[in-house]
Amino acid sequence: MSVLTIPDFNQTTPIDQIGVEERVSRLNKRSIKKESKLQALKLALSMIDHTTLEGKDSEGKVIQLCSKARLPYAPMPNLPHVAAVCVYPNMVATAKKALQGTGVKVASVATAFPSGMAQLHIKLDDTRYAVSEGADEIDMVISRGEFLKGNYTFIFDEIAAIKEACGEAHLKVILETGELETLENVRKASDIAMHAGADFIKTSTGKISPAATQPVTLVMLEAIRDFYRDTGSMVGMKPAGGIRKAKEALQYLVLVKETLGSAWLTPEWFRFGASSLTNDLLMQIVKQETGVYQSINYFSND
Amino acid sequence: MADRIEVLKTYKTYVGGKFPRSESDRTYQIKDGKGKHIANACRCSRKDVRDAVVTARSAFGGWSSRSAYNRGQVLYRIAEMLEGRKDQFLRELQLAGIKEKDAKHEVHTAIDRVIYFAGWTDKISQVFGTVNPVASAHFNFSSPDATGVVGIIAPEEYPLLSAISMIAPVIAGGNSCILLASETNPLPVVSFGEVLHASDVPAGVVNILTGYRSETAETISSHKDVNALFSSISDNKFRKLIDENASINVKRTEHYTPDDWYSDDHENPYLVLKFMETKTTWHPVGF
């Protein structure tokens, strides 16, 4: 027997969908107020992968995004900076330069994001390019078509190859759960990704709907928990897309805390992929500090 | 049937085109002039105010960018629907102990007032817009533009007439609003929400909350996403609270405390103009 046995991915781990939804809705009723709420809001802010993934992105926009990432709200300079800025590979160098010496990481999507419909060598080149430009983290997409065909070895080998191309950079594997149809598939894709070497598993590209949902996140968190029990290695989690409100962010934090424990409640192991969440968190933080409900007009767009 | 226990209606709020209860689940008793319990109303909390502001903000864009003519049609439709459901309002006002003659007078004046402001929507910018002489080669003109989200704090007296007199000019100018209804008799105002719902007013343009001002006025007056306040409470301490909170983001504030809500003085376009901003455009003139 080898030290790490790869499970047979043709076996399906059954998921009780009703049970998952019930647990999510029970955890959503958790009330977090006052001082703990403020702490949670600041923690959530520090876990954001501040993202811009649009065809119309320019250097100017990325630089602006980076300055917000570094100092989310100028009137409160003591707030934490966000965890990372997430951009397309050709914007990595711009972001890297803008964030020099700030502690904010640069993440780049790669591997023919968002569809992943390209040959492996193109995906590898895409990845190596992003890493050579200075990306600290790579967000790759899996080939959902091959996955749904049942070609699990293909998925496994592809992730392993990209991981190798990443070198020192952390690899986040996007499952695009909105296209995986069932929670069993989400669980299976999570298991494959983790065994193939993912440092993080991530729900969605944000390009299709539904993006991140709490039931899907719970299933992935449970996969991470089981993987940790089996192998002793921690894997990070990143729900992305569709998380816009501070309240939802806090609900996600409760899911993490209750499934994986406090060890995962750091930007090192948990991230939010979002663009508009930052402002809502800031508005809630300022509300907590001043007692006055805020208006989006007083917060910068990017 | 002497032993039958009467079922008292619990009036709900009107927010975003729906009729939700207060998120706090609290209600309070509404009594008639003689102190008899006649119905229940929602006791809204600051969170209800917060939610209503979000709704009003999202409705603002669509409402303010409609053509002024169309806004006039919608206001006219409100008056038509009020006319059609007059009896309900007469009943509700009488239930609170108002004499039939007075109730009729109140409802009729309210309907006429909506008609009056319906007529102004597409005339405001012609009458109050200006072409300004300037010393450079520019065509310079100013026109009134909607302010945004307006918080309306209605008085206790003439609950229906006063509420409608305050809502009509505000929405005629293209604003969206949140109304804190009369504390002691909000019933006809909540029913007015049903009228709005049945006419063509887009969801969220008018939002009606009930409950204690001591719990809601603080939030609505300090909220930074509210652009203007329209208050009919004459109490000095209350005015001070409103003014201080309004200063946080320099809200347009109008204290409006008339002696007589029936007076024709209310029917005046300057009331619409109070909740509008002047937008001036400089347009280069070619030769």
Side-chain angles (χ1 to χ4, degrees):
Chain A
M1 288 291 286
S2 61
V3 185
L4 177 65
T5 30
I6 305 287
D8 176 6
F9 294 119
N10 289 309
Q11 300 293 315
T12 298
T13 310
I15 304 287
D16 171 5
Q17 185 168 355
I18 305 286
V20 166
E21 282 164 11
E22 295 254 304
R23 181 158 174 77
V24 164
S25 84
R26 201 161 58 243
L27 291 176
N28 281 353
K29 293 201 182 78
R30 209 48 78 77
S31 172
I32 301 169
K33 298 286 176 203
K34 306 257 158 69
E35 190 50 36
S36 7
K37 182 174 182 182
L38 188 58
Q39 288 302 322
L41 290 168
K42 288 181 181 170
L43 179 63
L45 181 64
S46 74
M47 289 172 163
I48 285 185
D49 276 8
H50 203 42
T51 303
T52 182
L53 294 172
E54 289 171 15
K56 62 179 182 188
D57 287 349
S58 61
E59 279 82 3
K61 178 167 183 195
V62 170
I63 290 168
Q64 205 169 349
L65 193 83
C66 291
S67 61
K68 177 133 182 167
R70 204 166 54 214
L71 182 62
Y73 185 57
M76 291 186 180
N78 293 327
L79 288 180
H81 59 68
V82 306
V85 161
C86 185
V87 292
Y88 272 117
N90 58 345
M91 291 295 160
V92 168
T94 310
K96 190 75 189 170
K97 193 172 157 217
L99 292 170
Q100 216 162 25
T102 61
V104 181
K105 297 201 158 54
V106 177
S108 169
V109 296
T111 70
F113 180 92
S115 70
M117 300 297 249
Q119 286 171 296
L120 182 59
H121 72 94
I122 294 174
K123 294 183 181 183
L124 290 173
D125 279 350
D126 200 13
T127 308
R128 287 193 201 103
Y129 170 69
V131 174
S132 70
E133 290 286 286
D136 305 299
E137 300 169 357
I138 297 294
D139 289 27
M140 72 166 283
V141 288
I142 65 167
S143 306
R144 282 86 73 192
E146 293 298 326
F147 180 87
L148 293 173
K149 273 192 234 165
N151 207 348
Y152 304 132
T153 357
F154 180 91
I155 306 294
F156 187 97
D157 293 346
E158 194 175 59
I159 296 171
I162 306 277
K163 170 71 183 167
E164 204 184 335
C166 283
E168 291 290 299
H170 274 226
L171 177 65
K172 303 196 200 106
V173 177
I174 305 173
L175 310 181
E176 194 61 306
T177 53
E179 291 184 340
L180 294 185
E181 314 291 347
T182 66
L183 291 179
E184 277 84 4
N185 281 346
V186 170
R187 170 68 193 231
K188 188 176 290 184
S190 308
D191 287 340
I192 296 173
M194 289 186 293
H195 281 284
D199 297 300
F200 260 76
I201 50 177
K202 171 175 167 185
T203 58
S204 325
T205 58
K207 297 292 181 195
I208 75 147
S209 185
T213 66
Q214 293 183 10
V216 156
T217 304
L218 182 60
V219 169
M220 291 170 70
L221 289 170
E222 283 174 351
I224 292 173
R225 181 193 60 197
D226 294 348
F227 183 77
Y228 177 67
R229 282 183 187 159
D230 290 347
T231 66
S233 7
M234 286 170 83
V235 172
M237 172 70 200
K238 176 176 172 187
I243 307 167
R244 297 195 175 84
K245 297 287 168 204
K247 192 173 181 179
E248 294 168 67
L250 299 192
Q251 291 169 343
Y252 276 97
L253 293 184
V254 172
L255 287 185
V256 175
K257 163 82 182 164
E258 292 301 321
T259 316
L260 295 173
S262 309
W264 265 265
L265 280 181
T266 72
E268 197 188 341
W269 297 108
F270 190 76
R271 297 281 178 82
F272 290 105
S275 38
S276 52
L277 175 63
T278 313
N279 271 346
D280 202 59
L281 285 170
L282 290 174
M283 278 166 60
Q284 300 310 321
I285 290 171
V286 180
K287 156 71 177 71
Q288 291 295 316
E289 301 270 4
T290 63
V292 173
Y293 285 114
Q294 299 297 304
S295 160
I296 193 72
N297 292 342
Y298 300 92
F299 295 83
S300 62
N301 281 337
D302 296 313
Chain B
M1 292 296 279
D3 291 325
R4 184 174 177 273
I5 298 169
E6 226 183 313
V7 178
L8 295 181
K9 184 173 175 184
T10 297
Y11 284 72
K12 297 199 267 185
T13 66
Y14 179 58
V15 177
K18 296 200 175 72
F19 298 91
R21 294 175 200 281
S22 164
E23 68 67 53
S24 66
D25 275 339
R26 300 176 306 175
T27 56
Y28 70 113
Q29 296 189 348
I30 304 299
K31 296 180 172 145
D32 67 6
K34 297 195 185 78
K36 187 179 156 231
H37 181 195
I38 51 171
N40 302 301
C42 292
R43 199 176 135 193
C44 289
S45 66
R46 62 187 169 83
K47 288 190 181 168
D48 291 309
V49 175
R50 174 197 65 185
D51 295 345
V53 172
V54 172
T55 312
R57 172 58 62 196
S58 62
F60 172 69
W63 180 242
S64 60
S65 60
R66 287 206 180 193
S67 75
Y69 173 65
N70 182 237
R71 281 203 302 272
Q73 288 178 309
V74 172
L75 259 81
Y76 193 86
R77 181 73 186 155
I78 298 174
E80 283 180 356
M81 296 301 289
L82 265 176
E83 188 81 46
R85 295 176 62 159
K86 212 158 49 173
D87 292 344
Q88 183 191 348
F89 289 97
L90 291 177
R91 216 171 40 245
E92 272 166 354
L93 288 172
Q94 287 175 59
L95 191 64
I98 296 168
K99 289 199 190 75
E100 189 185 350
K101 188 170 139 263
D102 296 338
K104 260 192 181 148
H105 190 198
E106 180 165 354
V107 173
H108 287 159
T109 314
I111 297 172
D112 294 349
R113 207 149 274 174
V114 177
I115 299 272
Y116 174 83
F117 285 107
W120 266 109
T121 57
D122 57 355
K123 295 167 192 75
I124 279 284
S125 95
Q126 291 149 51
V127 174
F128 295 99
T130 53
V131 175
N132 316 313
V134 288
S136 57
H138 287 90
F139 176 45
N140 183 290
F141 54 98
S142 305
S143 62
D145 233 14
T147 293
V149 175
V150 181
I152 303 178
I153 306 167
E156 293 303 313
E157 47 296 358
Y158 307 108
L160 182 67
L161 177 61
S162 58
I164 290 181
S165 303
M166 296 175 90
I167 291 173
V170 166
I171 62 173
N175 303 292
S176 58
C177 67
I178 298 125
L179 176 96
L180 306 184
S182 156
E183 269 182 33
T184 49
N185 190 9
L187 309 186
V189 187
V190 176
S191 297
F192 179 57
E194 292 169 14
V195 168
L196 293 168
H197 189 64
S199 40
D200 304 320
V201 184
V205 169
V206 180
N207 303 282
I208 297 169
L209 299 179
T210 57
Y212 301 148
R213 278 190 295 273
S214 57
E215 296 177 325
T216 49
E218 167 79 32
T219 309
I220 201 162
S221 56
S222 64
H223 201 308
K224 287 180 88 171
D225 214 16
V226 172
N227 304 99
L229 293 168
F230 192 13
S231 166
S232 268
I233 308 296
S234 50
D235 176 59
N236 276 337
K237 244 173 91 183
F238 189 82
R239 284 179 74 134
K240 185 161 174 272
L241 169 86
I242 296 289
D243 285 339
E244 281 176 359
N245 282 341
S247 71
I248 295 172
N249 62 332
V250 210
K251 291 181 188 69
R252 207 165 260 287
T253 309
E254 178 65 16
H255 293 286
Y256 190 68
T257 50
D259 297 325
D260 178 13
W261 284 94
Y262 289 104
S263 160
D264 284 346
D265 294 349
H266 298 289
E267 293 172 9
N268 96 58
Y270 292 96
L271 219 45
V272 181
L273 214 56
K274 296 266 189 212
F275 301 97
M276 301 195 87
E277 309 293 331
T278 301
K279 180 174 74 184
T280 296
T281 309
W282 293 72
H283 199 286
V285 180
F287 291 99

